[in-house]
Amino acid sequence: MDAAVILLVASALFTLILLAKGLRSITQGTIGVVTMFGKYRRILYPGLNFMIPFVERIHRMVSIQN
């Protein structure tokens, strides 16, 4: 195989992995508290959200129902 084809396949695979790791689904009735390097960053609301892979983490899922 040509080196350019191998590089193209490897970069496409890497991009797909990053997209898959970055998408997070938050269930209805909860919110997610996101931290970056251990410090509060933001809140994720219910639905499909994007996070920075390998850097941001969901610290806690909090129920917002009564």
Side-chain angles (χ1 to χ4, degrees):
M1 282 183 114
D2 191 33
V5 173
I6 294 172
L7 182 62
L8 181 66
V9 169
S11 63
L13 184 62
F14 181 72
T15 303
L16 286 174
I17 290 171
L18 282 180
L19 282 174
K21 294 289 278 181
L23 289 176
R24 290 293 196 150
S25 179
I26 306 297
T27 59
Q28 186 175 0
T30 61
I31 57 173
V33 178
V34 177
T35 59
M36 179 184 281
F37 303 119
K39 293 196 177 218
Y40 169 80
R41 170 104 173 153
R42 61 192 168 116
I43 293 175
L44 296 181
Y45 294 99
L48 192 60
N49 297 281
F50 186 77
M51 296 174 41
I52 301 171
F54 308 110
V55 177
E56 289 184 331
R57 299 195 191 284
I58 295 180
H59 176 70
R60 181 167 295 174
M61 299 292 284
V62 179
S63 175
I64 56 175
Q65 295 178 343
N66 289 339

Short mmCIF file of all heavy atoms in Angstrom, two decimals:
data_model
loop_
_atom_site.label_atom_id
_atom_site.label_comp_id
_atom_site.label_asym_id
_atom_site.label_seq_id
_atom_site.Cartn_x
_atom_site.Cartn_y
_atom_site.Cartn_z
N MET A 1 0.83 -1.19 0.00
CA MET A 1 0.00 0.00 0.00
C MET A 1 0.87 1.25 0.00
O MET A 1 1.97 1.26 0.53
CB MET A 1 -0.89 0.04 1.24
CG MET A 1 -2.10 -0.84 1.18
SD MET A 1 -3.08 -0.62 2.65
CE MET A 1 -4.51 0.11 1.95
N ASP A 2 0.30 2.25 -0.54
CA ASP A 2 0.99 3.53 -0.59
C ASP A 2 0.96 4.18 0.79
O ASP A 2 0.01 4.07 1.54
CB ASP A 2 0.30 4.41 -1.63
CG ASP A 2 1.09 5.65 -1.94
OD1 ASP A 2 2.33 5.61 -1.91
OD2 ASP A 2 0.45 6.67 -2.22
N ALA A 3 2.00 4.90 1.14
CA ALA A 3 2.11 5.55 2.45
C ALA A 3 1.02 6.61 2.64
O ALA A 3 0.52 6.80 3.75
CB ALA A 3 3.48 6.17 2.62
N ALA A 4 0.63 7.27 1.57
CA ALA A 4 -0.40 8.29 1.66
C ALA A 4 -1.76 7.69 2.03
O ALA A 4 -2.52 8.26 2.81
CB ALA A 4 -0.51 9.06 0.35
N VAL A 5 -2.06 6.51 1.50
CA VAL A 5 -3.32 5.83 1.82
C VAL A 5 -3.34 5.40 3.28
O VAL A 5 -4.35 5.57 3.98
CB VAL A 5 -3.53 4.62 0.88
CG1 VAL A 5 -4.74 3.82 1.31
CG2 VAL A 5 -3.65 5.08 -0.57
N ILE A 6 -2.23 4.88 3.75
CA ILE A 6 -2.14 4.46 5.15
C ILE A 6 -2.30 5.66 6.08
O ILE A 6 -3.02 5.59 7.08
CB ILE A 6 -0.81 3.73 5.42
CG1 ILE A 6 -0.77 2.42 4.63
CG2 ILE A 6 -0.59 3.50 6.91
CD1 ILE A 6 0.55 1.72 4.67
N LEU A 7 -1.68 6.77 5.74
CA LEU A 7 -1.80 7.99 6.54
C LEU A 7 -3.23 8.51 6.53
O LEU A 7 -3.75 8.93 7.57
CB LEU A 7 -0.83 9.05 6.02
CG LEU A 7 -0.81 10.36 6.79
CD1 LEU A 7 -0.36 10.12 8.23
CD2 LEU A 7 0.11 11.35 6.11
N LEU A 8 -3.90 8.46 5.40
CA LEU A 8 -5.28 8.92 5.29
C LEU A 8 -6.22 8.05 6.12
O LEU A 8 -7.07 8.56 6.85
CB LEU A 8 -5.72 8.91 3.82
CG LEU A 8 -7.14 9.38 3.55
CD1 LEU A 8 -7.27 10.86 3.89
CD2 LEU A 8 -7.52 9.13 2.12
N VAL A 9 -6.04 6.75 6.07
CA VAL A 9 -6.88 5.83 6.85
C VAL A 9 -6.62 6.04 8.35
O VAL A 9 -7.57 6.07 9.15
CB VAL A 9 -6.63 4.37 6.44
CG1 VAL A 9 -7.28 3.39 7.40
CG2 VAL A 9 -7.11 4.14 5.02
N ALA A 10 -5.37 6.20 8.74
CA ALA A 10 -5.04 6.40 10.15
C ALA A 10 -5.62 7.71 10.67
O ALA A 10 -6.16 7.76 11.78
CB ALA A 10 -3.53 6.38 10.34
N SER A 11 -5.54 8.76 9.89
CA SER A 11 -6.09 10.05 10.34
C SER A 11 -7.61 10.02 10.40
O SER A 11 -8.22 10.61 11.29
CB SER A 11 -5.60 11.19 9.45
OG SER A 11 -6.07 11.02 8.13
N ALA A 12 -8.25 9.31 9.47
CA ALA A 12 -9.71 9.18 9.51
C ALA A 12 -10.15 8.38 10.74
O ALA A 12 -11.12 8.73 11.42
CB ALA A 12 -10.21 8.51 8.24
N LEU A 13 -9.43 7.33 11.06
CA LEU A 13 -9.73 6.52 12.24
C LEU A 13 -9.54 7.34 13.52
O LEU A 13 -10.37 7.28 14.43
CB LEU A 13 -8.84 5.28 12.26
CG LEU A 13 -9.09 4.29 13.38
CD1 LEU A 13 -10.50 3.72 13.28
CD2 LEU A 13 -8.08 3.17 13.30
N PHE A 14 -8.48 8.11 13.59
CA PHE A 14 -8.22 8.96 14.75
C PHE A 14 -9.32 10.00 14.93
O PHE A 14 -9.79 10.25 16.05
CB PHE A 14 -6.85 9.65 14.59
CG PHE A 14 -6.47 10.52 15.74
CD1 PHE A 14 -6.11 9.97 16.95
CD2 PHE A 14 -6.47 11.90 15.60
CE1 PHE A 14 -5.76 10.77 18.02
CE2 PHE A 14 -6.12 12.71 16.66
CZ PHE A 14 -5.76 12.14 17.87
N THR A 15 -9.78 10.59 13.84
CA THR A 15 -10.86 11.58 13.90
C THR A 15 -12.16 10.95 14.38
O THR A 15 -12.87 11.53 15.21
CB THR A 15 -11.06 12.22 12.51
OG1 THR A 15 -9.83 12.81 12.08
CG2 THR A 15 -12.15 13.28 12.54
N LEU A 16 -12.47 9.76 13.91
CA LEU A 16 -13.69 9.07 14.36
C LEU A 16 -13.63 8.73 15.84
O LEU A 16 -14.64 8.86 16.55
CB LEU A 16 -13.90 7.81 13.53
CG LEU A 16 -14.40 8.02 12.11
CD1 LEU A 16 -14.43 6.69 11.36
CD2 LEU A 16 -15.77 8.66 12.12
N ILE A 17 -12.48 8.34 16.32
CA ILE A 17 -12.32 8.02 17.74
C ILE A 17 -12.51 9.28 18.58
O ILE A 17 -13.19 9.26 19.61
CB ILE A 17 -10.96 7.37 18.02
CG1 ILE A 17 -10.94 5.97 17.42
CG2 ILE A 17 -10.65 7.33 19.50
CD1 ILE A 17 -9.58 5.30 17.45
N LEU A 18 -11.94 10.41 18.15
CA LEU A 18 -12.12 11.66 18.89
C LEU A 18 -13.58 12.09 18.94
O LEU A 18 -14.07 12.55 19.98
CB LEU A 18 -11.27 12.77 18.28
CG LEU A 18 -9.80 12.75 18.61
CD1 LEU A 18 -9.09 13.92 17.93
CD2 LEU A 18 -9.58 12.81 20.10
N LEU A 19 -14.28 11.96 17.83
CA LEU A 19 -15.71 12.32 17.81
C LEU A 19 -16.52 11.42 18.72
O LEU A 19 -17.40 11.88 19.44
CB LEU A 19 -16.25 12.26 16.38
CG LEU A 19 -15.89 13.44 15.49
CD1 LEU A 19 -16.38 13.19 14.07
CD2 LEU A 19 -16.49 14.72 16.03
N ALA A 20 -16.23 10.14 18.70
CA ALA A 20 -16.97 9.19 19.54
C ALA A 20 -16.70 9.44 21.02
O ALA A 20 -17.62 9.34 21.84
CB ALA A 20 -16.59 7.76 19.17
N LYS A 21 -15.47 9.77 21.39
CA LYS A 21 -15.15 10.04 22.79
C LYS A 21 -15.71 11.38 23.25
O LYS A 21 -15.92 11.58 24.43
CB LYS A 21 -13.63 10.03 23.01
CG LYS A 21 -12.98 8.69 22.81
CD LYS A 21 -13.31 7.73 23.90
CE LYS A 21 -12.42 7.98 25.09
NZ LYS A 21 -12.68 7.06 26.19
N GLY A 22 -15.93 12.31 22.34
CA GLY A 22 -16.38 13.65 22.70
C GLY A 22 -17.87 13.80 22.86
O GLY A 22 -18.33 14.74 23.50
N LEU A 23 -18.65 12.90 22.30
CA LEU A 23 -20.10 13.01 22.40
C LEU A 23 -20.60 12.38 23.69
O LEU A 23 -20.24 11.25 24.01
CB LEU A 23 -20.77 12.35 21.20
CG LEU A 23 -20.61 13.07 19.88
CD1 LEU A 23 -21.24 12.25 18.77
CD2 LEU A 23 -21.22 14.45 19.92
N ARG A 24 -21.43 13.10 24.43
CA ARG A 24 -22.02 12.59 25.66
C ARG A 24 -23.51 12.84 25.64
O ARG A 24 -23.97 13.91 25.25
CB ARG A 24 -21.45 13.32 26.88
CG ARG A 24 -20.04 13.00 27.16
CD ARG A 24 -19.94 11.56 27.59
NE ARG A 24 -18.64 11.37 28.21
CZ ARG A 24 -18.40 10.52 29.15
NH1 ARG A 24 -19.33 9.74 29.59
NH2 ARG A 24 -17.21 10.43 29.67
N SER A 25 -24.26 11.87 26.07
CA SER A 25 -25.71 11.99 26.17
C SER A 25 -26.09 12.10 27.64
O SER A 25 -25.73 11.24 28.44
CB SER A 25 -26.38 10.77 25.54
OG SER A 25 -27.78 10.88 25.66
N ILE A 26 -26.81 13.16 27.98
CA ILE A 26 -27.29 13.37 29.34
C ILE A 26 -28.77 13.06 29.35
O ILE A 26 -29.53 13.58 28.53
CB ILE A 26 -27.04 14.83 29.80
CG1 ILE A 26 -25.57 15.21 29.64
CG2 ILE A 26 -27.52 15.03 31.23
CD1 ILE A 26 -24.62 14.41 30.47
N THR A 27 -29.19 12.21 30.27
CA THR A 27 -30.60 11.78 30.32
C THR A 27 -31.49 12.89 30.86
O THR A 27 -31.03 13.79 31.58
CB THR A 27 -30.76 10.53 31.20
OG1 THR A 27 -30.28 10.82 32.51
CG2 THR A 27 -29.99 9.36 30.63
N GLN A 28 -32.75 12.79 30.52
CA GLN A 28 -33.74 13.76 30.94
C GLN A 28 -33.86 13.73 32.47
O GLN A 28 -33.87 12.67 33.08
CB GLN A 28 -35.08 13.45 30.31
CG GLN A 28 -36.14 14.47 30.57
CD GLN A 28 -37.42 14.16 29.81
OE1 GLN A 28 -37.49 13.16 29.10
NE2 GLN A 28 -38.40 15.00 29.95
N GLY A 29 -33.95 14.90 33.09
CA GLY A 29 -34.08 14.99 34.54
C GLY A 29 -32.76 15.06 35.28
O GLY A 29 -32.74 15.07 36.51
N THR A 30 -31.64 15.09 34.56
CA THR A 30 -30.33 15.21 35.19
C THR A 30 -29.50 16.26 34.48
O THR A 30 -29.79 16.62 33.33
CB THR A 30 -29.55 13.87 35.17
OG1 THR A 30 -29.34 13.49 33.82
CG2 THR A 30 -30.27 12.79 35.92
N ILE A 31 -28.48 16.74 35.17
CA ILE A 31 -27.47 17.60 34.55
C ILE A 31 -26.11 17.01 34.88
O ILE A 31 -25.96 16.29 35.85
CB ILE A 31 -27.55 19.07 35.03
CG1 ILE A 31 -27.41 19.16 36.55
CG2 ILE A 31 -28.81 19.74 34.55
CD1 ILE A 31 -27.30 20.57 37.08
N GLY A 32 -25.13 17.31 34.08
CA GLY A 32 -23.78 16.82 34.31
C GLY A 32 -22.85 17.97 34.64
O GLY A 32 -22.85 18.99 33.96
N VAL A 33 -22.07 17.82 35.70
CA VAL A 33 -21.09 18.83 36.09
C VAL A 33 -19.77 18.46 35.45
O VAL A 33 -19.21 17.40 35.73
CB VAL A 33 -20.97 18.92 37.62
CG1 VAL A 33 -19.92 19.94 38.02
CG2 VAL A 33 -22.31 19.23 38.26
N VAL A 34 -19.25 19.33 34.60
CA VAL A 34 -18.03 19.06 33.85
C VAL A 34 -16.85 19.76 34.51
O VAL A 34 -16.93 20.93 34.88
CB VAL A 34 -18.16 19.56 32.39
CG1 VAL A 34 -16.87 19.35 31.62
CG2 VAL A 34 -19.30 18.86 31.71
N THR A 35 -15.76 19.01 34.67
CA THR A 35 -14.52 19.59 35.18
C THR A 35 -13.42 19.44 34.14
O THR A 35 -13.44 18.54 33.31
CB THR A 35 -14.07 18.88 36.48
OG1 THR A 35 -13.88 17.50 36.21
CG2 THR A 35 -15.09 19.05 37.59
N MET A 36 -12.50 20.38 34.19
CA MET A 36 -11.31 20.31 33.33
C MET A 36 -10.10 20.43 34.25
O MET A 36 -9.95 21.43 34.94
CB MET A 36 -11.30 21.45 32.30
CG MET A 36 -10.07 21.42 31.40
SD MET A 36 -9.98 22.82 30.27
CE MET A 36 -11.11 22.29 29.01
N PHE A 37 -9.29 19.40 34.30
CA PHE A 37 -8.12 19.32 35.17
C PHE A 37 -8.52 19.51 36.64
O PHE A 37 -7.81 20.14 37.42
CB PHE A 37 -7.05 20.33 34.77
CG PHE A 37 -6.60 20.19 33.34
CD1 PHE A 37 -6.76 21.22 32.43
CD2 PHE A 37 -6.02 19.02 32.91
CE1 PHE A 37 -6.35 21.09 31.13
CE2 PHE A 37 -5.59 18.87 31.59
CZ PHE A 37 -5.77 19.91 30.70
N GLY A 38 -9.70 19.00 37.02
CA GLY A 38 -10.15 19.03 38.40
C GLY A 38 -10.88 20.29 38.83
O GLY A 38 -11.34 20.38 39.94
N LYS A 39 -11.01 21.27 37.94
CA LYS A 39 -11.72 22.51 38.28
C LYS A 39 -13.02 22.59 37.50
O LYS A 39 -13.11 22.17 36.35
CB LYS A 39 -10.86 23.73 37.96
CG LYS A 39 -9.64 23.82 38.83
CD LYS A 39 -9.05 25.19 38.77
CE LYS A 39 -7.87 25.23 39.71
NZ LYS A 39 -7.77 26.48 40.39
N TYR A 40 -14.05 23.18 38.16
CA TYR A 40 -15.35 23.33 37.51
C TYR A 40 -15.21 24.07 36.20
O TYR A 40 -14.50 25.08 36.12
CB TYR A 40 -16.30 24.09 38.45
CG TYR A 40 -17.57 24.52 37.77
CD1 TYR A 40 -18.60 23.61 37.58
CD2 TYR A 40 -17.72 25.81 37.29
CE1 TYR A 40 -19.76 23.98 36.94
CE2 TYR A 40 -18.88 26.19 36.65
CZ TYR A 40 -19.90 25.28 36.48
OH TYR A 40 -21.04 25.66 35.83
N ARG A 41 -15.92 23.58 35.18
CA ARG A 41 -15.87 24.21 33.87
C ARG A 41 -17.25 24.69 33.42
O ARG A 41 -17.43 25.83 33.06
CB ARG A 41 -15.29 23.22 32.86
CG ARG A 41 -15.38 23.62 31.45
CD ARG A 41 -14.09 24.07 30.93
NE ARG A 41 -14.25 24.27 29.49
CZ ARG A 41 -13.54 25.10 28.83
NH1 ARG A 41 -12.61 25.78 29.42
NH2 ARG A 41 -13.74 25.25 27.54
N ARG A 42 -18.24 23.77 33.43
CA ARG A 42 -19.58 24.11 32.95
C ARG A 42 -20.56 23.01 33.32
O ARG A 42 -20.19 22.02 33.93
CB ARG A 42 -19.57 24.31 31.44
CG ARG A 42 -19.16 23.07 30.67
CD ARG A 42 -18.89 23.40 29.22
NE ARG A 42 -18.23 22.28 28.58
CZ ARG A 42 -18.77 21.59 27.59
NH1 ARG A 42 -19.95 21.89 27.12
NH2 ARG A 42 -18.11 20.60 27.04
N ILE A 43 -21.81 23.22 32.93
CA ILE A 43 -22.88 22.25 33.18
C ILE A 43 -23.38 21.74 31.84
O ILE A 43 -23.56 22.52 30.90
CB ILE A 43 -24.02 22.89 33.97
CG1 ILE A 43 -23.56 23.23 35.37
CG2 ILE A 43 -25.23 21.98 34.03
CD1 ILE A 43 -24.58 23.98 36.19
N LEU A 44 -23.61 20.43 31.75
CA LEU A 44 -24.21 19.84 30.56
C LEU A 44 -25.69 19.61 30.83
O LEU A 44 -26.05 19.02 31.84
CB LEU A 44 -23.54 18.51 30.21
CG LEU A 44 -22.07 18.55 29.84
CD1 LEU A 44 -21.60 17.14 29.51
CD2 LEU A 44 -21.82 19.47 28.67
N TYR A 45 -26.52 20.07 29.93
CA TYR A 45 -27.96 19.91 30.07
C TYR A 45 -28.41 18.66 29.32
O TYR A 45 -27.67 18.12 28.48
CB TYR A 45 -28.66 21.17 29.56
CG TYR A 45 -28.36 22.37 30.42
CD1 TYR A 45 -27.40 23.30 30.05
CD2 TYR A 45 -29.01 22.53 31.63
CE1 TYR A 45 -27.11 24.38 30.85
CE2 TYR A 45 -28.72 23.61 32.46
CZ TYR A 45 -27.78 24.53 32.06
OH TYR A 45 -27.49 25.59 32.87
N PRO A 46 -29.63 18.19 29.59
CA PRO A 46 -30.12 16.97 28.94
C PRO A 46 -30.04 17.06 27.41
O PRO A 46 -30.30 18.11 26.82
CB PRO A 46 -31.56 16.87 29.41
CG PRO A 46 -31.58 17.56 30.72
CD PRO A 46 -30.59 18.69 30.57
N GLY A 47 -29.68 15.94 26.81
CA GLY A 47 -29.54 15.86 25.36
C GLY A 47 -28.14 15.45 24.98
O GLY A 47 -27.35 14.99 25.80
N LEU A 48 -27.80 15.65 23.72
CA LEU A 48 -26.49 15.30 23.20
C LEU A 48 -25.55 16.49 23.33
O LEU A 48 -25.87 17.60 22.91
CB LEU A 48 -26.61 14.88 21.73
CG LEU A 48 -25.42 14.21 21.09
CD1 LEU A 48 -25.09 12.92 21.84
CD2 LEU A 48 -25.70 13.91 19.65
N ASN A 49 -24.41 16.28 23.94
CA ASN A 49 -23.44 17.34 24.20
C ASN A 49 -22.07 16.93 23.69
O ASN A 49 -21.77 15.75 23.58
CB ASN A 49 -23.33 17.60 25.71
CG ASN A 49 -24.61 18.08 26.31
OD1 ASN A 49 -24.96 19.24 26.20
ND2 ASN A 49 -25.35 17.18 26.94
N PHE A 50 -21.23 17.92 23.42
CA PHE A 50 -19.86 17.64 23.00
C PHE A 50 -18.90 18.13 24.08
O PHE A 50 -19.04 19.23 24.60
CB PHE A 50 -19.51 18.32 21.67
CG PHE A 50 -18.16 17.93 21.16
CD1 PHE A 50 -17.97 16.70 20.56
CD2 PHE A 50 -17.07 18.77 21.31
CE1 PHE A 50 -16.72 16.32 20.10
CE2 PHE A 50 -15.82 18.39 20.85
CZ PHE A 50 -15.66 17.17 20.25
N MET A 51 -17.95 17.28 24.43
CA MET A 51 -16.90 17.61 25.40
C MET A 51 -15.55 17.44 24.73
O MET A 51 -15.42 16.72 23.75
CB MET A 51 -16.99 16.67 26.61
CG MET A 51 -18.26 16.80 27.39
SD MET A 51 -18.44 15.59 28.71
CE MET A 51 -16.84 15.49 29.41
N ILE A 52 -14.54 18.11 25.26
CA ILE A 52 -13.19 17.96 24.74
C ILE A 52 -12.66 16.60 25.21
O ILE A 52 -12.50 16.39 26.41
CB ILE A 52 -12.27 19.10 25.21
CG1 ILE A 52 -12.83 20.44 24.77
CG2 ILE A 52 -10.86 18.90 24.68
CD1 ILE A 52 -12.11 21.63 25.37
N PRO A 53 -12.41 15.68 24.29
CA PRO A 53 -11.97 14.33 24.69
C PRO A 53 -10.65 14.35 25.47
O PRO A 53 -9.75 15.11 25.17
CB PRO A 53 -11.79 13.60 23.37
CG PRO A 53 -12.51 14.39 22.36
CD PRO A 53 -12.52 15.81 22.86
N PHE A 54 -10.57 13.48 26.47
CA PHE A 54 -9.39 13.24 27.29
C PHE A 54 -9.01 14.42 28.19
O PHE A 54 -8.06 14.33 28.95
CB PHE A 54 -8.17 12.85 26.44
CG PHE A 54 -8.44 11.72 25.50
CD1 PHE A 54 -8.51 11.93 24.13
CD2 PHE A 54 -8.66 10.44 25.99
CE1 PHE A 54 -8.77 10.88 23.26
CE2 PHE A 54 -8.92 9.39 25.13
CZ PHE A 54 -8.97 9.61 23.76
N VAL A 55 -9.72 15.54 28.12
CA VAL A 55 -9.41 16.71 28.94
C VAL A 55 -10.56 17.01 29.90
O VAL A 55 -10.34 17.17 31.09
CB VAL A 55 -9.10 17.94 28.06
CG1 VAL A 55 -8.85 19.17 28.90
CG2 VAL A 55 -7.92 17.67 27.15
N GLU A 56 -11.78 17.11 29.36
CA GLU A 56 -12.95 17.37 30.19
C GLU A 56 -13.54 16.05 30.67
O GLU A 56 -13.55 15.07 29.95
CB GLU A 56 -14.01 18.14 29.40
CG GLU A 56 -13.65 19.56 29.11
CD GLU A 56 -14.76 20.30 28.41
OE1 GLU A 56 -15.56 19.68 27.69
OE2 GLU A 56 -14.84 21.51 28.61
N ARG A 57 -14.05 16.07 31.90
CA ARG A 57 -14.68 14.88 32.48
C ARG A 57 -15.97 15.28 33.17
O ARG A 57 -16.08 16.39 33.69
CB ARG A 57 -13.77 14.22 33.50
CG ARG A 57 -12.46 13.76 32.94
CD ARG A 57 -11.76 12.81 33.87
NE ARG A 57 -10.39 12.54 33.47
CZ ARG A 57 -10.04 11.75 32.48
NH1 ARG A 57 -10.94 11.15 31.76
NH2 ARG A 57 -8.77 11.55 32.19
N ILE A 58 -16.93 14.35 33.19
CA ILE A 58 -18.15 14.58 33.96
C ILE A 58 -17.84 14.17 35.40
O ILE A 58 -17.58 13.00 35.68
CB ILE A 58 -19.33 13.79 33.40
CG1 ILE A 58 -19.68 14.30 32.02
CG2 ILE A 58 -20.53 13.90 34.33
CD1 ILE A 58 -20.84 13.59 31.37
N HIS A 59 -17.83 15.16 36.28
CA HIS A 59 -17.52 14.89 37.68
C HIS A 59 -18.68 14.25 38.41
O HIS A 59 -18.50 13.31 39.17
CB HIS A 59 -17.13 16.20 38.37
CG HIS A 59 -16.88 16.08 39.83
ND1 HIS A 59 -15.79 15.41 40.33
CD2 HIS A 59 -17.58 16.51 40.90
CE1 HIS A 59 -15.82 15.46 41.64
NE2 HIS A 59 -16.91 16.11 42.02
N ARG A 60 -19.88 14.74 38.15
CA ARG A 60 -21.05 14.23 38.84
C ARG A 60 -22.30 14.47 38.01
O ARG A 60 -22.43 15.47 37.34
CB ARG A 60 -21.20 14.92 40.18
CG ARG A 60 -22.39 14.43 40.99
CD ARG A 60 -22.32 14.91 42.38
NE ARG A 60 -21.13 14.27 42.99
CZ ARG A 60 -20.70 14.56 44.20
NH1 ARG A 60 -21.29 15.45 44.92
NH2 ARG A 60 -19.63 13.95 44.68
N MET A 61 -23.22 13.52 38.09
CA MET A 61 -24.55 13.64 37.49
C MET A 61 -25.50 14.03 38.63
O MET A 61 -25.55 13.33 39.64
CB MET A 61 -24.99 12.35 36.84
CG MET A 61 -24.08 11.89 35.72
SD MET A 61 -24.13 12.94 34.30
CE MET A 61 -25.67 12.46 33.61
N VAL A 62 -26.24 15.13 38.47
CA VAL A 62 -27.12 15.62 39.52
C VAL A 62 -28.55 15.58 39.02
O VAL A 62 -28.86 16.08 37.94
CB VAL A 62 -26.74 17.08 39.90
CG1 VAL A 62 -27.67 17.61 40.99
CG2 VAL A 62 -25.29 17.17 40.32
N SER A 63 -29.44 15.00 39.83
CA SER A 63 -30.85 14.94 39.49
C SER A 63 -31.48 16.30 39.74
O SER A 63 -31.25 16.93 40.78
CB SER A 63 -31.56 13.89 40.34
OG SER A 63 -32.95 13.91 40.09
N ILE A 64 -32.28 16.78 38.79
CA ILE A 64 -32.96 18.05 38.95
C ILE A 64 -34.46 17.87 39.11
O ILE A 64 -35.22 18.82 39.02
CB ILE A 64 -32.65 19.00 37.76
CG1 ILE A 64 -33.01 18.38 36.44
CG2 ILE A 64 -31.20 19.43 37.80
CD1 ILE A 64 -32.86 19.31 35.25
N GLN A 65 -34.86 16.64 39.37
CA GLN A 65 -36.29 16.35 39.59
C GLN A 65 -36.60 16.50 41.07
O GLN A 65 -35.73 16.33 41.92
CB GLN A 65 -36.61 14.93 39.14
CG GLN A 65 -36.45 14.72 37.66
CD GLN A 65 -36.73 13.28 37.27
OE1 GLN A 65 -36.74 12.41 38.11
NE2 GLN A 65 -36.96 13.07 35.98
N ASN A 66 -37.87 16.79 41.35
CA ASN A 66 -38.29 16.93 42.75
C ASN A 66 -38.41 15.60 43.41
O ASN A 66 -38.79 14.64 43.04
CB ASN A 66 -39.61 17.67 42.85
CG ASN A 66 -39.39 19.15 42.50
OD1 ASN A 66 -38.28 19.64 42.59
ND2 ASN A 66 -40.44 19.80 42.11
#
